[in-house]
Amino acid sequence: MLLRFGTQSGSYIYVDKMDDTTTRPAVLYSHIFHATSRRGRCMTFWYHLNERFNGSLVFSVRELDNSGNSNSSGKEHLLWRLDSEHQLPDADLRNTWAFGSFGFYTPLSYEILIMGFSAEPVSIVALDDLFFRESVY
């Protein structure tokens, strides 16, 4: 999978399979964040699927110990998922930007993992305007 950044008219990230024959997902790791407040955090973003998209887009959180290493359980927790088995819109509803969001809480330092996978050639998923904020709930 290829993970590309930006264009001349703006910046966003996207994953495509046009030039790639591997079956591995593209993974983007955030920087390390401190533990959330008790109210948690919220992440919002916009995503775009082309009409041929057949793959997945997954957001996970990985909790870290005080030294910045993965915790002893080594678990990643699923935060948000879009794929052919979970909410993937019909092809006629694609080729437009859609809004996504999720909330989460963790008492430990953490990083966010964004994984994109395309199963078909000319299959593209893009992300834009990723934003973190303290939860208001």
Side-chain angles (χ1 to χ4, degrees):
M1 295 300 112
L2 300 175
L3 181 64
R4 299 180 177 165
F5 295 88
T7 68
Q8 292 179 348
S9 61
S11 293
Y12 60 90
I13 58 174
Y14 69 97
V15 175
D16 72 44
K17 192 174 172 78
M18 288 191 268
D19 303 324
D20 193 358
T21 59
T22 68
T23 58
R24 296 173 306 183
V27 182
L28 179 66
Y29 296 87
S30 74
H31 68 276
I32 296 173
F33 295 95
H34 296 293
T36 64
S37 70
R38 289 185 183 199
R39 292 175 19 182
R41 296 200 89 183
C42 179
M43 183 174 186
T44 60
F45 54 94
W46 289 86
Y47 65 95
H48 182 279
L49 310 174
N50 73 343
E51 69 276 357
R52 293 184 174 187
F53 180 75
N54 181 16
S56 61
L57 176 62
V58 177
F59 289 79
S60 297
V61 63
R62 178 186 295 162
E63 294 178 333
L64 306 172
D65 62 22
N66 291 334
S67 64
N69 298 315
S70 295
N71 65 6
S72 59
S73 66
K75 290 184 181 177
E76 293 174 13
H77 304 282
L78 177 67
L79 298 172
W80 188 91
R81 178 183 193 112
L82 178 71
D83 63 22
S84 57
E85 296 179 16
H86 300 91
Q87 309 166 354
L88 192 62
D90 295 332
D92 59 338
L93 299 176
R94 300 182 200 172
N95 270 342
T96 186
W97 287 94
F99 183 75
S101 68
F102 57 83
F104 64 99
Y105 163 79
T106 177
L108 301 172
S109 295
Y110 65 94
E111 62 185 348
I112 300 293
L113 284 66
I114 303 171
M115 292 165 273
F117 174 76
S118 296
E120 302 290 333
V122 195
S123 181
I124 298 172
V125 59
L127 285 171
D128 199 4
D129 297 335
L130 286 80
F131 183 70
F132 281 100
R133 70 173 193 273
E134 291 300 313
S135 180
V136 295
Y137 301 107

